[in-house]
Amino acid sequence: MSTTTDRVMRTADGLPLKLSLQKALARSRLRAALLVLPLLGFLVVAFLLPIGDMLFRSVDNRIVGSILPRTALAIQGWDADGTELPGEAVFEALVRDMQAAAKERTLGRAARRLNYEKPGMSSLFRKSGRRAKRITGPSWRDRLIGIDKRWADINVWRLIHRESGALTGSYFLSAVDLSLNDRAELVRQPEPRRIYLTLFGRTVWMSGLITVLCLLLAYPVAYLLATQPLRVSNLLMILVLLPFWTSLLVRTTSWIALLQTEGVLNDLLVFAGLISEDGRLQMIHNKFGTFVAMVHILLPFMILPLYSVMKTIPPSLMRAARSLGATPFTAFVRVYMPNTVSGVGAGCIMVFILSIGYYITPALVGGRTGTFISNFIAIHVSETLNWGLAAALGVLLLGLVLALYLLYDRIVGIDNMKLG
Amino acid sequence: MIESGSSVVRFDRVQKSYDGETLVIKDLNLEIEAGEFLTMLGPSGSGKTTCLMMLAGFEPATHGEIYLNGRPINNVAPHRRDIGMVFQNYALFPHMTVAENLAFPLQVRRLSRADVQARVERVLHMVRLSGFGSRRPAQLSGGQQQRVAVARALVFEPALILMDEPLGALDKNLREEMQYEIKHIHETLGVTVIYVTHDQTEALTMSSRIAVFNDGVIQQLAAPSVLYEEPENCFVAQFIGENNRLQGTVESVDGAFCRVALDDGERVRALNVNVDGEREPTTLSLRPERVAIDPKGEAADNVVSGRVEELIYLGDHIRARLTVAGNDAFIVKVPNAQGHASLREGARVRLGWAAEDCRALDAPGTGSAPG
């Protein structure tokens, strides 16, 4: 044992060297940690916790259980797969719950929650809630069915049974246009309610096309920026950055002014005689409007990473290729472009991820056909107040972005990414 | 246009201006023979790299014509010139392996796959990098990258290779090693090399001829030994090797020699190389190793006195700084041989040198290309 301790390297004072090193490093680590602590605290409180809470709402199902606690407890013992209605005790629990909830005016929330799953539940609960005050004794079951004979429908009870647990997957099912039918089988939503998959699809393909358009437009600009003499490239850079610094809303609304049917562009076309007064083009509040405005707004996010990568490519590389016998085209394709891959990757992933979650521009110029999934998330958050569904859609969007990010990492490698 | 059969490159009255106001290259006439190792030597901004860029096709000549193997190439695109080029920072393609870098010039020439592979192997062997083919340039040391760059310029067997300060990024030892290596490759393959550098040692080591550039003009074009021993003007004398300068006025011209009165009144005899005539100012150029301290009479045509200012012991020789004829940076190398003169700082000594070693050149300011 003493031999092993003898082998430990020691400092001049006899302390083990490793311990001493750790002490010395600990101080600098602590200092580094203290420096980021304020931001970390801010992020946790203002960002991570709210987002975590929001994401949890996509599976959170405590509404029914907390507003109808007795029912939730009593219905656990009932065989939902059977053919018989629950027993008298469950009916009694529901009546008492409804009486309590009506007094606290919380019944509406439970009713709305159940209505997401089965239309008509809201009216059933509201009607029964008003009249349940008068029910004071047995037979609970007959008197409740007396108020509304839908209480004799076993599917209503199955629904209450299903949704009285603490967690639910039904928001996620709605988010991909599925639902559970009365027998708890997966079915597609009825035709007019199938909107989210279409929206996800549209968000992805439109973002993809926006990314491609941005790349095509940004590549030559970035090349000019990186290769022109400083005086020219500085001017160009200002032209790129000026819109970038201008408010998003200003830029989006100016596109509305330009592109609307009574807008500048249509006026010009009519004036030039290219289109007739009746044939004014619909260029905004549709997909076209979204493309134009989004490409314009996201273009700097493509140009800047491309520029920063191109800036590092020495001009002698192209000269070397030329002197070795490559035509300008071959030199560009085989030598220049491969060296810009990291910039292309960074720009594309940036534009695509920004685009896929973009809200304000599609909302303003997208009309009915050019809106993205984020617009519907916003609608569910602020208008229909179906936060569970909004959260489920958000989780899916987040998952989609993360999946694409991982895919990118596998193909290009995140370490190769240069953001500027 | 007189065509000399063996010249690979000919610059014919070439001028170059970037801004239309000043000439970077002023009337360049230069013929380079096949198999030559010609170095363009000069300070930065002297126009030597511009010359190379014009030859490679990356800069157009403003006036005049450049001939490659007797063919004017002003309107030939760089990729059609078949000139190998080694760049200052190698310009290896970072996204390709060493073998892919070497294969690139062959692939764009549409050689067969087997041919490409064979040639790449051969050239890798030549630069002693066999087995490094699958590495990326970033995984190689500076010297190895340098060898790959040379190999890439050689692999498609061009008759002419341009090298633009290729050893500038290497440390001193490696630089010397690579100098010999490039020299040997040149000797083995017999290609014509045009080499640009600002390092005179490099130029003296490797070249068969050196063109000393200054101010857009070739100051002197000669073999290294001629350049060192017989500089034709003040700039060349000063730029190549160590040199003592003494200012004076020509008193009389006497065939190959002339008498010059130094600024402090002493008179010396010097070789008449490039003086404007009697009573004109001149600069005498004198190599430090050709000056003897306390000359024993017979060897010295000229004897002047000087004061020892500083002595630096350098092992094999002692470097003495003296004041001679008002010039306090007059250097004499005293060999550390048996019985050498012992000097003390502050002492007055007599210095002597032969008239042939003391070259009367143009005075500074009037410096011009030799006619």
Side-chain angles (χ1 to χ4, degrees):
Chain A
M1 217 176 109
S2 63
T3 52
T4 54
T5 50
D6 283 348
R7 276 197 208 124
V8 172
M9 291 285 279
R10 287 176 185 282
T11 63
D13 295 337
L15 274 169
L17 196 57
K18 278 199 173 147
L19 198 71
S20 177
L21 181 68
Q22 266 165 12
K23 258 189 201 164
L25 288 180
R27 209 169 301 138
S28 64
R29 279 204 204 106
L30 185 69
R31 204 173 301 141
L34 281 176
L35 282 173
V36 297
L37 203 60
L39 179 62
L40 194 66
F42 175 77
L43 280 181
V44 167
V45 172
F47 191 69
L48 287 180
L49 290 181
I51 283 198
D53 177 62
M54 195 63 207
L55 294 185
F56 178 65
R57 281 169 195 268
S58 64
V59 290
D60 183 15
N61 200 32
R62 284 169 303 186
I63 292 180
V64 176
S66 64
I67 295 172
L68 309 171
R70 298 178 192 85
T71 319
L73 197 66
I75 208 166
Q76 294 304 316
W78 175 59
D79 174 21
D81 298 327
T83 50
E84 288 184 21
L85 285 177
E88 185 73 5
V90 178
F91 278 87
E92 182 187 352
L94 182 63
V95 171
R96 291 196 188 281
D97 276 337
M98 284 204 285
Q99 286 168 346
K103 213 174 285 173
E104 289 175 32
R105 299 181 184 283
T106 53
L107 192 59
R109 284 175 56 208
R112 203 172 60 222
R113 168 69 191 92
L114 291 170
N115 200 56
Y116 292 149
E117 308 299 325
K118 191 175 168 73
M121 290 299 278
S122 188
S123 68
L124 172 64
F125 265 83
R126 234 170 276 143
K127 180 178 169 193
S128 312
R130 278 197 302 273
R131 301 190 188 168
K133 285 179 233 162
R134 279 176 265 148
I135 305 175
T136 50
S139 149
W140 306 94
R141 175 168 159 169
D142 295 340
R143 298 187 65 176
L144 198 55
I145 293 170
I147 292 172
D148 194 314
K149 61 179 183 303
R150 277 180 282 179
W151 289 116
D153 179 1
I154 190 167
N155 288 331
V156 170
W157 292 99
R158 278 178 179 151
L159 179 64
I160 294 173
H161 177 259
R162 199 177 80 210
E163 297 303 336
S164 59
L167 298 174
T168 178
S170 64
Y171 292 123
F172 277 105
L173 292 179
S174 308
V176 291
D177 294 341
L178 292 173
S179 63
L180 290 171
N181 66 7
D182 292 335
R183 279 184 298 280
E185 291 161 347
L186 272 182
V187 288
R188 298 187 66 185
Q189 295 271 21
E191 192 76 50
R193 293 185 67 183
R194 285 179 208 161
I195 49 172
Y196 300 115
L197 280 185
T198 321
L199 263 173
F200 269 116
R202 182 199 292 163
T203 306
V204 169
W205 82 255
M206 283 185 72
S207 296
L209 190 56
I210 287 165
T211 309
V212 171
L213 289 174
C214 276
L215 182 62
L216 290 179
L217 292 173
Y219 204 94
V221 176
Y223 182 78
L224 272 184
L225 276 172
T227 51
Q228 285 299 300
L230 204 61
R231 205 164 40 85
V232 181
S233 71
N234 274 348
L235 185 72
L236 279 173
M237 196 54 145
I238 288 170
L239 292 180
V240 170
L241 288 178
L242 216 56
F244 192 49
W245 293 332
T246 313
S247 156
L248 186 70
L249 279 171
V250 171
R251 280 185 287 161
T252 306
T253 42
S254 45
W255 276 116
I256 298 176
L258 278 172
L259 296 179
Q260 63 195 349
T261 26
E262 299 299 321
V264 181
L265 195 56
N266 267 313
D267 284 350
L268 273 176
L269 289 174
V270 170
F271 178 75
L274 291 171
I275 54 172
S276 69
E277 186 66 44
D278 308 327
R280 281 173 178 268
L281 299 171
Q282 178 71 37
M283 291 183 288
I284 201 99
H285 304 306
N286 58 12
K287 286 195 180 69
F288 182 79
T290 305
F291 278 129
V292 171
M294 290 281 281
V295 167
H296 173 233
I297 283 160
L298 294 177
L299 204 51
F301 292 98
M302 187 67 90
I303 293 176
L304 294 177
L306 279 176
Y307 166 73
S308 79
V309 168
M310 288 178 178
K311 197 81 188 149
T312 64
I313 299 176
S316 63
L317 231 48
M318 279 290 273
R319 287 181 165 177
R322 298 292 309 281
S323 81
L324 293 171
T327 60
F329 179 76
T330 312
F332 188 78
V333 170
R334 288 203 49 195
V335 174
Y336 198 84
M337 277 185 11
N339 280 300
T340 60
V341 164
S342 57
V344 171
C348 284
I349 199 166
M350 193 120 124
V351 169
F352 189 81
I353 287 178
L354 280 173
S355 166
I356 213 173
Y358 229 73
Y359 159 68
I360 189 76
T361 301
L364 288 176
V365 302
R368 204 172 50 81
T369 58
T371 42
F372 283 3
I373 193 72
S374 49
N375 302 114
F376 271 74
I377 295 178
I379 285 172
H380 286 308
V381 168
S382 60
E383 285 171 33
T384 69
L385 301 184
N386 188 351
W387 285 19
L389 182 56
L393 289 169
V395 169
L396 288 180
L397 188 60
L398 187 63
L400 189 66
V401 169
L402 286 178
L404 286 167
Y405 184 80
L406 289 176
L407 187 74
Y408 172 86
D409 188 30
R410 286 287 293 277
I411 296 170
V412 185
I414 285 307
D415 298 339
N416 288 332
M417 189 156 99
K418 281 193 186 136
L419 287 177
Chain B
M1 286 194 294
I2 311 118
E3 205 55 63
S4 74
S6 62
S7 84
V8 174
V9 176
R10 194 155 67 87
F11 286 87
D12 184 31
R13 310 204 60 122
V14 173
Q15 293 183 307
K16 173 70 185 175
S17 174
Y18 286 105
D19 54 4
E21 286 166 15
T22 49
L23 282 172
V24 186
I25 301 288
K26 301 167 184 163
D27 195 22
L28 177 74
N29 292 290
L30 177 61
E31 264 189 55
I32 296 156
E33 306 295 311
E36 235 188 323
F37 195 119
L38 183 115
T39 298
M40 294 178 171
L41 175 67
S44 52
S46 60
K48 54 193 193 311
T49 297
T50 306
C51 270
L52 212 63
M53 289 298 156
M54 285 195 292
L55 187 51
F58 300 127
E59 290 290 347
T62 315
H63 174 82
E65 188 68 70
I66 303 171
Y67 297 89
L68 184 64
N69 296 320
R71 195 166 55 107
I73 54 166
N74 277 14
N75 294 319
V76 178
H79 63 277
R80 294 179 190 279
R81 295 191 180 193
D82 249 350
I83 298 176
M85 185 152 181
V86 181
F87 290 83
Q88 197 163 7
N89 293 307
Y90 320 137
L92 297 177
F93 306 137
H95 61 292
M96 297 184 189
T97 64
V98 168
E100 284 165 349
N101 263 284
L102 297 178
F104 183 83
L106 306 175
Q107 284 165 352
V108 298
R109 284 177 174 75
R110 306 197 184 287
L111 265 68
S112 76
R113 190 175 296 246
D115 245 10
V116 169
Q117 206 177 350
R119 285 222 217 173
V120 167
E121 283 302 320
R122 207 184 324 146
V123 79
L124 270 176
H125 180 73
M126 189 179 74
V127 296
R128 298 187 286 119
L129 283 175
S130 302
F132 284 82
S134 56
R135 300 235 192 140
R136 292 280 163 118
Q139 296 168 304
L140 301 180
S141 71
Q144 290 168 335
Q145 290 184 27
Q146 173 61 56
R147 295 215 287 267
V148 174
V150 172
R152 193 177 62 176
L154 289 169
V155 73
F156 59 101
E157 294 171 4
L160 176 64
I161 308 238
L162 311 181
M163 299 193 180
D164 184 13
E165 310 214 11
L167 306 182
L170 301 180
D171 62 44
K172 191 169 169 292
N173 287 339
L174 208 50
R175 200 155 59 213
E176 282 171 10
E177 198 185 314
M178 284 305 299
Q179 283 171 16
Y180 292 115
E181 210 156 310
I182 291 174
K183 195 174 153 81
H184 291 152
I185 287 174
H186 167 249
E187 282 162 5
T188 319
L189 298 182
V191 291
T192 313
V193 177
I194 301 180
Y195 191 99
V196 162
T197 184
H198 61 261
D199 183 326
Q200 46 144 319
T201 330
E202 219 167 272
L204 292 174
T205 311
M206 308 170 78
S207 323
S208 46
R209 281 200 299 167
I210 299 174
V212 181
F213 272 74
N214 190 38
D215 207 17
V217 173
I218 295 185
Q219 303 287 334
Q220 190 172 352
L221 172 63
S225 58
V226 176
L227 216 52
Y228 183 81
E229 296 188 17
E230 299 164 22
E232 282 178 1
N233 62 28
C234 197
F235 176 82
V236 176
Q238 195 62 23
F239 195 75
I240 309 278
E242 211 170 2
N243 182 47
N244 289 315
R245 278 193 294 185
L246 294 171
Q247 308 299 335
T249 313
V250 180
E251 283 200 326
S252 63
V253 178
D254 157 30
F257 291 90
C258 59
R259 283 203 77 75
V260 176
L262 298 181
D263 286 356
D264 69 343
E266 293 208 60
R267 286 177 171 71
V268 294
R269 215 166 111 81
L271 201 62
N272 173 10
V273 180
N274 189 15
V275 298
D276 292 336
E278 290 178 17
R279 282 182 294 284
E280 292 294 330
T282 182
T283 304
L284 299 182
S285 153
L286 189 58
R287 297 292 179 197
E289 66 272 17
R290 297 292 171 91
V291 180
I293 289 186
D294 249 344
K296 302 284 181 289
E298 77 284 348
D301 300 325
N302 301 305
V303 177
V304 299
S305 71
R307 206 169 74 97
V308 180
E309 301 289 347
E310 194 178 7
L311 292 169
I312 299 162
Y313 180 79
L314 287 168
D316 62 337
H317 72 272
I318 295 157
R319 208 176 141 82
R321 183 167 68 81
L322 301 96
T323 302
V324 175
N327 175 7
D328 67 350
F330 194 95
I331 303 293
V332 177
K333 285 181 183 171
V334 185
N336 195 356
Q338 200 175 19
H340 68 85
S342 67
L343 298 173
R344 274 179 307 105
E345 287 178 15
R348 290 204 74 84
V349 292
R350 293 172 63 70
L351 306 165
W353 60 81
E356 297 84 46
D357 290 336
C358 176
R359 299 170 66 81
L361 305 173
D362 54 320
T366 65
S368 60

